[in-house]
Amino acid sequence: MRMSKLFVQTLREFPSDAEVISHKLLVRAGYIRKLTNGIYNYMPLMWRVLKKIESIVREEMDNSGAQELLMPFVQPAELWEESGRWDVYGKELMRLKDRHSREMCLGPTHEEVITSIAREGIRSYKQLPINLYQIQSKFRDEIRPRFGLLRGREFIMKDAYSFDVDEEGLDKSYQIMADAYRRIFERCGLETKMVQSDSGAIGGSVSHEFMVLVNEESENNAGENDVFYCTKCGYSANSNHAVSLLNSVITVGKYTKSEIIDTPNTHSIDELAKFLNIPESIICKCLIYVVDGKYVAALIRGDRAVEETKLMNVFAGNDIRIARNDEIEEIMQLSGYSAIAGFIGPKGLKNVEIVADETVKDLKNFVIGCNINDKHLVGANWGVDVELPVKIADIRLVEENDKCINCGSSLKVTKGIEVGNIFKLGTKYSKKMNATFTDKDGQEKPFIMGCYGIGISRTAAAAVERHHDENGIIWPLAIAPYKVIVVPVSDQDEIQMKVAEYIYNKLLESKVEVLLDDRAERAGVKLKDADLIGIPYRITVGKTIKDNLVEFKTRAGNIIETISPDDAIAKILSI
Ligand code: ATP
Ligand code: MG
């Protein structure tokens, strides 16, 4: 392709609305154009990258025995009512009505549709196992569509669904996908870590995420996930799922007598601990949340934080947020108190479900809110002053240097971008939607399902997060839009142009994906653009051509060699 013809506009500046480097670089290098919030045009260079990722995904999925199909993007509400998700999916589900006022939605994922296909088309155990997949645009009305392709509202996903006769079969299908995913990301030039994760709104029991780790490379938390991992035994999990051993801290307070004392203006644990001159670990925090519209109080030791997904899962919820001040006021009124946040305690709360983290169980002579402003109960003990809640669960956020649940070593933390995930769904959809097959023994049984997603467009952006420098993108070879760019320094120099054309044509003949920068631009502009758009190899034809030498640049590491045009061609062909 000739650059004079290529439809691409590179910008001199980064776009002002971009926070993370992949978003900045993809816009500036002309790969994507924003249409509206969270919705992008994939320009020709981008589309080539996406097609490369897609074809790697296709090859590995096909090799693993999966079959490709394509399901509709618009789905009827009835299917979602059958699965029960019409009411719980929330605002990410883009709902619309057709001309007959029938409710529809834009597909954010396709469990319902695929289950309806299996229900119609798979009658017998003889047709199982089977894995069906598609590559398609998805729509999710994300609350914060930011970070460009990392979190769009419309984005491209590969989603696969497996159907098995039993759990054992599912284990196998799951493992086959885990192996395929490893190969896919490796071939895309991306190192990933497979970590345990929460199963979220999709449900099911076991799930893993494939994370591109981006601790040092990314700015502004492009890696939206915290991944905790153990270097000794290999345990690793998303923070929404990670567990650790209880850390040993002081859990017995200095108070020998239980009494309510003045603690003026101690709205935070930090302020309270300082005021009383005690460790935070002998305070029992009481936080009010709203889970699916219901009030929940979470008790946790003062030195630890609540992990909201874990808390939400205790109540099998779909949505969680911290309570607003007016909601706390409402609870207080109902319970006959008037305290504000910071002084709340579990005793006497009405209309609130209470759950305690494991950390509070061992507290003795501790400090806790008593629902009176500017006062706390000190020297409290479970069963004497306050009842220990019946519901006790692990709802705490793991912290770096917590001890590994498996081997006791210190956990480390890093940031990760989730590029794919795999779920064991079991019978969650097949039971609700009455999707069954006839088993060997003649019995009708629900399918045992798994689902497996890869964010195609997010993977491209994650590759940029991971591979770039101050001059631009550095595409991994396998997913680069073109492998080589040939740049004549001066388009006015006949010899330079002739040699550049020669190299270009030789490479084209050998089916190398190559760009020729034949634009009437200054050398500086052309060389900057070549770096910015991130083509892995650059062959620059300049003045040294009179000695039959060109510059051969490897974009990764910016390594420059001076060799003959034919050697440059040979070098490319050998790669
Ligand atoms: P996240 O927690 O990041 O929102 P998710 O758990 O909702 O992801 P899935 O429903 O499992 O994601 O979707 C499968 C894959 O699709 C994800 O692993 C991710 O790579 C990609 N993906 C999900 N949401 C988006 C989005 N808004 N923009 C781009 N890619 C996405
Ligand atoms: Mg999501």
Side-chain angles (χ1 to χ4, degrees), residues 22 26 31-32 42 46 48-51 53 149-150 156 185 188 190 212 417 419 454-467 473 475-476 479:
S22 61
L26 288 172
Y31 282 79
I32 56 173
Y42 307 121
M46 189 75 236
R48 290 180 74 95
V49 173
L50 294 173
K51 280 194 292 184
I53 298 173
L149 298 193
L150 284 179
I156 304 174
F185 294 119
C188 287
L190 279 174
V212 172
I417 299 170
V419 284
I454 288 181
I456 303 284
S457 43
R458 184 183 283 181
T459 297
V464 178
E465 286 296 330
R466 207 61 191 73
H467 301 288
I473 301 170
W475 288 113
I479 61 172

Side-chain angles (χ1 to χ4, degrees), residues 39-96:
I39 303 181
Y40 294 88
N41 293 297
Y42 307 121
M43 303 309 284
L45 283 177
M46 189 75 236
W47 189 233
R48 290 180 74 95
V49 173
L50 294 173
K51 280 194 292 184
K52 296 229 153 103
I53 298 173
E54 286 185 13
S55 76
I56 291 171
V57 169
R58 272 203 181 91
E59 263 178 54
E60 293 297 340
M61 290 302 292
D62 292 348
N63 284 343
S64 76
Q67 299 176 52
E68 186 173 0
L69 46 54
L70 185 61
M71 291 177 266
F73 176 52
V74 177
Q75 307 179 12
E78 291 90 77
L79 277 182
W80 287 72
E81 274 155 6
E82 279 189 52
S83 74
R85 284 209 290 185
W86 187 254
D87 294 327
V88 299
Y89 205 96
K91 290 191 172 155
E92 271 185 33
L93 186 64
M94 184 85 165
R95 297 155 210 253
L96 50 144

Side-chain angles (χ1 to χ4, degrees), residues 343-370:
F343 304 97
I344 309 293
K347 197 171 172 177
L349 290 188
K350 301 238 161 64
N351 201 23
V352 180
E353 272 215 70
I354 304 174
V355 58
D357 182 65
E358 291 164 336
T359 49
V360 306
K361 260 188 331 195
D362 301 328
L363 291 178
K364 297 210 165 57
N365 305 335
F366 59 91
V367 178
I368 191 165
C370 56

Side-chain angles (χ1 to χ4, degrees), residues 15 30 107 170 376 400 444 535 546 551 570:
L170 172 59
H376 277 87
E400 187 158 30
E444 282 296 301
I535 306 302
K546 60 181 190 306
E551 190 188 278

Side-chain angles (χ1 to χ4, degrees), residues 289-445:
Y289 286 88
V290 184
V291 176
D292 292 352
K294 295 195 185 88
Y295 293 132
V296 163
L299 305 186
I300 190 162
R301 216 173 55 204
D303 60 318
R304 303 301 301 227
V306 168
E307 209 306 310
E308 295 188 358
T309 303
K310 286 185 178 180
L311 174 60
M312 184 174 81
N313 288 344
V314 171
F315 299 96
N318 288 288
D319 182 61
I320 185 166
R321 61 176 174 80
I322 195 102
R324 296 187 308 260
N325 286 339
D326 62 296
E327 290 168 327
I328 291 178
E329 212 173 293
E330 183 191 322
I331 294 170
M332 286 293 108
Q333 256 175 21
L334 207 84
S335 314
Y337 300 110
S338 62
I340 59 170
F343 304 97
I344 309 293
K347 197 171 172 177
L349 290 188
K350 301 238 161 64
N351 201 23
V352 180
E353 272 215 70
I354 304 174
V355 58
D357 182 65
E358 291 164 336
T359 49
V360 306
K361 260 188 331 195
D362 301 328
L363 291 178
K364 297 210 165 57
N365 305 335
F366 59 91
V367 178
I368 191 165
C370 56
N371 300 321
I372 307 171
N373 282 336
D374 294 329
K375 289 186 193 301
H376 277 87
L377 173 66
V378 303
N381 282 291
W382 299 121
V384 184
D385 310 284
V386 196
E387 286 311 311
L388 183 65
V390 187
K391 241 187 193 128
I392 295 178
D394 175 356
I395 55 167
R396 71 191 169 281
L397 183 65
V398 168
E399 285 166 16
E400 187 158 30
N401 295 323
D402 272 4
K403 301 287 171 259
C404 174
I405 193 89
N406 291 338
C407 73
S409 316
S410 292
L411 293 177
K412 292 194 166 14
V413 66
T414 179
K415 292 277 178 202
I417 299 170
E418 178 202 324
V419 284
N421 59 10
I422 54 179
F423 285 85
K424 286 188 184 174
L425 293 172
T427 56
K428 179 174 157 114
Y429 293 90
S430 50
K431 269 196 179 145
K432 283 213 170 109
M433 296 181 64
N434 203 19
T436 60
F437 65 97
T438 315
D439 204 357
K440 257 194 198 116
D441 55 13
Q443 301 246 331
E444 282 296 301
K445 291 182 186 163

Side-chain angles (χ1 to χ4, degrees), residues 89 92 108-109 140 142 148-158 198 202 209-210 224-225 238 240 417-423 452-459:
Y89 205 96
E92 271 185 33
T109 173
R140 294 182 184 176
E142 299 275 358
L149 298 193
L150 284 179
R151 185 170 295 284
R153 291 200 293 163
E154 183 175 314
F155 57 97
I156 304 174
M157 196 204 285
K158 183 284 301 180
D198 172 62
I202 290 190
E209 291 166 342
F210 285 76
E224 291 181 282
N225 300 273
N238 190 319
N240 64 20
I417 299 170
E418 178 202 324
V419 284
N421 59 10
I422 54 179
F423 285 85
Y452 317 91
I454 288 181
I456 303 284
S457 43
R458 184 183 283 181
T459 297

